[in-house]
Amino acid sequence: MKISWIALLLFVFVAVHSPSLIAQKKLSQVSGLVLDENDKPLFRVSVAILGRDKGTFSNDSGRFIIQVPPRMPFALVFSFTGYRPVQRNFNLAEGEAETITIKLEPTQSRLEDVLVRDNRARTEAGRINIDPGKALLNPSPLGNIESLIKIFVGSNNELTSQYNVRGGSYDENLVYVNDFEVYRPYLVRSGQQEGLSFINPELTGNVKFYNGGFQAKYGDKMSSVLDVGYRKPTKFAGSAYFGLLEQGLHLEGTDRAKRFTYLVGVRNRSNRNLLSSQDTKGNYIPSSADLQALLTYQLSNKWLIEFLGNASRSKFTLYPEESKLSSAVFSPLFTANLALDIAFQGQEKDQYQTNMAGLSATWSPNKKVRLKWMLSRFENNEAENIDIRGAYLFGERDFDKSKATYGLIVNPLGAGIFQNFTRNKLDISVWNASVKGSIDKGKHFIQFGSGIDRQHINDKLHEWEYNDSAGYSLPYSPNVINLNKVTNARAAINITRLSGFIQDNIQFSDTSGLGLQLGVRYNYNTLNNELLVSPRLGVSFKPRNWKKDIIFRGAAGRYDQPPFYRELRRYDGTINEDLRAQKSWQVSAGFDYALTLLKRPGRITTELYYKHMNDVVPYDIDNVRLRYFGENIAKAYAAGAEVRLFGELVKDAESWVSIGFMKTKENLANDQYQRYELNDQNVAVDSTLVDVGYLRRPTDRTLTFGMFFQDYLSTNKNFKVYLNTLYGSNLPYNIPGSVRYRNALVIDPYIRIDLGLSALLLDGDKSTRRSHSPFRGINNIWASLEVFNLIDRPNTISYLLIKDFANNTFTLPNRLTPRLLNLKLVTRW
C-alpha cells in the first residue's frame, strides 16, 4: 500500500521535540498550588515538563512557579511518592501566565519493585543485554528478538530470523533457551518459507547476546551466542496481541503455595500480506503456528523441577502465475533495460515441523552451590515438494508510456521453457543429556559441565531441472534429452558427541577492579574421531582512580565448530563423513564508558576484533539457504571494529545506534583457472594459469549501521513513535560452480527504514473503572500502526542468471518487500 513517507516524517518532526525552534521567544509561566486529598499543601512535589529534564518542586506552602515554552503544546507532570501522578496540558501565548490548583490522590500502599542492575554486561567482552519488551514495539516485519539483534549486527533480509555476526554464517550461531540448545529447520530456501522463531518474546524475561569472545561455558560454534531466559511467574497474568501478520496469546500464573508455576504461549503467523507484493505473482498460502510451555515445580527449598516444551509447524504453499522482472543489463553489449517474463504452471508445497522437550532438575543445597541435570530431545521433520513449469521470454522491455508496446518485451534475446522438480525429505533427532554446576567461593566463581549428544540424521534428496532454450535441451546433445541438473542422494548418519567445560571467573578485589575469566572446553565426536580442546580467556579492568566510569575488556581464545548436517553435504548431495571441524583463533578488545548525555544516562561501547580461521568449509548463500562445498579447502580471516551508543534523547525512552566496520576474506585451495589469449580469428593462441587467491566471503559487508529510536509527544507520553533504521554496504554474490567468476556479482547496499506509531488506549489506572466494566482486569491496551520499508527501497536478496541466444549471461535481481502497512493491537492483564 503506497503512502507518503515524506508526510509522515514531517508529522513526526513537527509533533515531537520542537522546543528548540522557539528557544529565542519570551517564555510563559505556570504557577499554582498542589494539595493532597484533604486539601492540605504538599511539600516537594515534582513539577516537570513532559519529556524534558527541566522542572521544579512545590515549596512548604504547596506553591510552585515554572517557566514554560510559549506558542506550542506542552504538558506538566505532577508526581509525589505515594500519590498518583497528574498530567495537565497547556498551549500558552508568548508571555502569558497561567494559575492552577492541583489535587493529588493517594495510591494503594505497596512496596516498589527493586531493580537490580547486572554490571556483568559491562565486564564481559562482546556482551549486549537486549530488552525483550522492545520486540513487539520494534517496527519490523517479524517483530521478534532476532529483529532487535539485527540492529547491532546488520541485516540483508527482513523476511528471515537469521543473522550473520562478524562475517560468520547463521550456522555459526548458538541459541539457548533456559540452558537448552535449540535449532531451526535446515531445508528452508528463502525467507518467505520461514515460520516463527523459536523464541517467544512474550515469555522472555532476559536476553544476553554475545557477538564474540564468549566464555567456555557456551558451546562449540565460531560466531555468537544468544542466551534467552524465560521468566518465572509470580502471579496470574497474560497478554494477547492481534496484527495483520501475527496473532498471539500467553498466560502465566502460580498455585496458592507458590510451588507450581506455568508459562504458556501460542502464536500464529501468516506472511501472506508480505508475499502478495513479491515479483512472482500467484497464490501464496504460508502459515506457521507454535505452542510453548514452561512448567516449574519447587519440590523443596533445595530442589526445582523444570519442563520446557515446544511444538511448531510451518507450511508454505505457492501456486505461481507469472513473474515480470526488470534490471539493468549485466553485459557491456547492451545498454537498454532488460526484462524477463515468465508464465508458470504447477505448485510448491513445503512443510517444516519441529518438536522440542526438555526436563531439568536443579539442586541448590545452599546459596553457593548449584547443580543442574538436563535431558532434552529435539526433532525436526521437513519435506519439500516442488513441481513447477514455466515458459519465459527474455529481452528489452519498452518503458515508453506513449507507445502501445509499453511494458512489453520488444527485442527478444532468449526464450524457452523449464521445469523444476523436487522431492526432498529430512528427519533429524538430537538427544542430549548433560549436567552443569557452579560453586561460589568469594573471589572465585567456578562453573563446570559435561554432556553427551546423540544425533540421528536421515536425508533423502531427489531434484532435477530441465531447460529448453529455443527448442534445444540444455545442455545440448544431438538426439538426446538431457536434464540440466540432477541430484539423487540418500544418507543415514548417527553421530555421538561428548563435550564439557570448566571455567573460573575471578574478581581479584573490589579495589583493584580487575577480573578474569579462565576456561577450557573439550569436544569429541564419533564421526571423524576428532578431539578438540578450546582454551578461552576474558579480562576486564576498571581504573579505580579515574573520575570517568570506564571499563576496559578483552577476550582471546580458540573457537572450533564440529560439522553438523549442512556442512557435511556437498553440492551434489553426497555426504563427506571425513569432514573435520572448522577452527579459529579469535581476539577482541574494547571498552565500555558510562557517561551523561543531554543530562541523562548513556553508554558508549567499542570493540576491535580479529578472527583467523583454518579448515574452513566454503559456502554460497542463495537467499537464506547455505550451500556448502563439503570440504575443508579454505582458510579465512575476519577483522573489524564496532561502536555503539546507548542513550535517552528524551527522558525514559532509550535509543541506540550501532556502527560496524569489517573485512572478511577466504582463500580456497586449488582455485586456479586458465586465462586464454585469442587472436583475430577468436582462436586461443596462449594461456596463463591464474591463482585466484583471497576473495570476499559471502558475508563480507564493509559497513553496517543500525538505529533504534524512541520518542513520544511532548503533550502526552501515551503517543509514541519508534524508528528502526538499517544500512549494510554491498555484498558479493558468487556464481555457483565457477572458480573464475566467484565474487563476479555484487548485491547493492541494503537500506531499510521502518516506522511505528502507537497509542495507549487504556492505561493501568483501574480505580476509575466501574465494577462491571469488561476492562476491569486489563492493565493496558496499545494500538500501533507500522510502516515497513518507509522509503520503499527495492532491496536485492539474490540474482537470477539468464542466458540469451548467443550464450551471454545476464542477471536479474530477486527483490524483497516494498512499502507495506501493518496494524497491531496488544492487550496485557
Side-chain angles (χ1 to χ4, degrees), residues 42-46 79-84 104-107 112:
L42 282 175
F43 173 56
R44 293 291 293 177
V45 174
S46 171
S79 56
F80 190 66
T81 303
Y83 289 81
R84 283 195 293 271
L104 299 183
E105 298 291 336
T107 59
E112 294 294 326

Side-chain angles (χ1 to χ4, degrees), residues 128-138 143-149 152 199-209 226-231 241 654 656 708 824 826 828:
I128 303 172
N129 276 12
I130 294 176
D131 182 3
K134 298 292 190 297
L136 287 181
L137 300 176
N138 178 39
N144 54 21
I145 299 295
E146 291 85 346
S147 298
L148 293 173
I149 293 175
F152 297 105
I199 304 166
N200 188 333
E202 289 295 273
L203 310 184
T204 303
N206 62 81
V207 178
K208 294 181 289 185
F209 177 67
L226 176 59
D227 189 356
V228 175
Y230 280 0
R231 63 178 176 271
Y241 62 92
E654 186 182 49
W656 55 81
F708 177 72
K824 188 187 299 181
V826 182
R828 292 187 172 91

Side-chain angles (χ1 to χ4, degrees), residues 359-375:
L359 183 66
S360 69
T362 304
W363 178 58
S364 302
N366 53 57
K367 294 182 178 180
K368 295 188 175 183
V369 177
R370 183 175 182 267
L371 283 175
K372 185 174 184 178
W373 290 268
M374 304 168 60
L375 178 66

Side-chain angles (χ1 to χ4, degrees), residues 28 123 162 225 281 333 360 420 427 497 506 519 546 619 632 657 687 690 711 737 739 751 768 789 801 803 818:
S28 302
T123 61
Q162 296 188 28
V225 173
K281 305 302 180 184
L333 302 177
S360 69
N420 296 333
D427 297 323
R497 284 198 175 98
I506 309 171
W546 287 21
Y619 58 86
N632 301 104
V657 174
S687 66
V690 179
D711 207 344
V739 173
I751 305 174
T768 59
N789 197 359
L801 305 181
K803 290 187 176 182

Side-chain angles (χ1 to χ4, degrees), residues 518-543:
L518 299 171
V520 62
R521 285 192 64 83
Y522 76 89
N523 188 293
Y524 172 81
N525 73 82
T526 59
L527 178 72
N528 50 29
N529 298 316
E530 187 175 23
L531 175 64
L532 305 170
V533 179
S534 305
R536 299 175 188 177
L537 166 69
V539 61
S540 64
F541 176 67
K542 180 182 171 110

Side-chain angles (χ1 to χ4, degrees), residues 331 333 394 413-414 469 474 802-810:
S331 170
L333 302 177
F394 170 59
L413 300 174
S469 180
L474 300 178
I802 300 294
K803 290 187 176 182
D804 66 2
F805 296 121
N807 207 33
N808 295 311
T809 301
F810 301 84

Side-chain angles (χ1 to χ4, degrees), residues 134 647-655 709-712 717:
K134 298 292 190 297
E648 297 179 4
L649 294 180
V650 294
K651 190 177 181 181
D652 301 326
E654 186 182 49
S655 303
F709 171 74
Q710 297 184 75
D711 207 344
Y712 49 80
K717 200 173 182 178

Side-chain angles (χ1 to χ4, degrees), residues 517-748:
Q517 301 162 4
L518 299 171
V520 62
R521 285 192 64 83
Y522 76 89
N523 188 293
Y524 172 81
N525 73 82
T526 59
L527 178 72
N528 50 29
N529 298 316
E530 187 175 23
L531 175 64
L532 305 170
V533 179
S534 305
R536 299 175 188 177
L537 166 69
V539 61
S540 64
F541 176 67
K542 180 182 171 110
R544 295 300 183 183
N545 55 350
W546 287 21
K547 293 183 179 180
K548 298 185 181 299
D549 185 2
I550 297 180
I551 297 177
F552 295 94
R553 58 191 190 182
R558 187 174 179 88
Y559 296 84
D560 301 329
Q561 182 164 326
F564 198 61
Y565 164 70
R566 289 211 286 193
E567 294 99 317
L568 296 172
R569 195 173 80 176
R570 301 183 180 96
Y571 256 79
D572 60 4
T574 59
I575 300 297
N576 181 8
E577 297 190 13
D578 296 323
L579 193 70
R580 301 183 302 278
Q582 301 182 84
K583 305 172 181 67
S584 71
W585 286 98
Q586 303 183 20
V587 60
S588 61
F591 65 84
D592 185 299
Y593 178 24
L595 71 166
T596 301
L597 294 172
L598 303 176
K599 299 182 180 180
R600 302 183 185 95
R603 283 175 56 213
I604 296 177
T605 66
T606 66
E607 200 154 276
L608 303 174
Y609 62 89
Y610 179 78
K611 299 196 293 187
H612 173 78
M613 294 164 276
N614 60 292
D615 282 341
V616 173
V617 183
Y619 58 86
D620 295 325
I621 299 179
D622 183 11
N623 203 305
V624 301
R625 181 171 62 164
L626 274 66
R627 305 194 65 182
Y628 286 90
F629 284 42
E631 306 285 350
N632 301 104
I633 57 171
K635 56 184 178 180
Y637 72 87
E642 297 168 345
V643 180
R644 297 185 178 91
L645 172 64
F646 303 81
E648 297 179 4
L649 294 180
V650 294
K651 190 177 181 181
D652 301 326
E654 186 182 49
S655 303
W656 55 81
V657 174
S658 178
I659 302 175
F661 303 91
M662 184 194 66
K663 181 58 63 177
T664 180
K665 290 188 174 183
E666 61 187 0
N667 188 359
L668 277 64
N670 302 317
D671 56 345
Q672 300 172 335
Y673 67 91
Q674 293 286 346
R675 179 183 295 163
Y676 295 96
E677 295 183 15
L678 305 178
N679 59 18
D680 296 339
Q681 287 75 37
N682 207 32
V683 176
V685 295
D686 196 4
S687 66
T688 304
L689 184 64
V690 179
D691 188 351
V692 175
Y694 276 93
L695 291 174
R696 298 175 67 186
R697 302 193 80 194
T699 54
D700 180 41
R701 176 155 270 162
T702 303
L703 173 64
T704 57
F705 173 85
M707 180 183 70
F708 177 72
F709 171 74
Q710 297 184 75
D711 207 344
Y712 49 80
L713 295 180
S714 59
T715 57
N716 197 329
K717 200 173 182 178
N718 296 335
F719 292 91
K720 297 187 177 183
V721 60
Y722 304 93
L723 195 66
N724 184 18
T725 302
L726 289 170
Y727 171 83
S729 56
N730 66 55
L731 285 170
Y733 188 81
N734 301 323
I735 296 180
S738 173
V739 173
R740 180 172 184 176
Y741 294 108
R742 191 167 178 83
N743 276 193
L745 304 175
V746 172
I747 295 178
D748 290 336

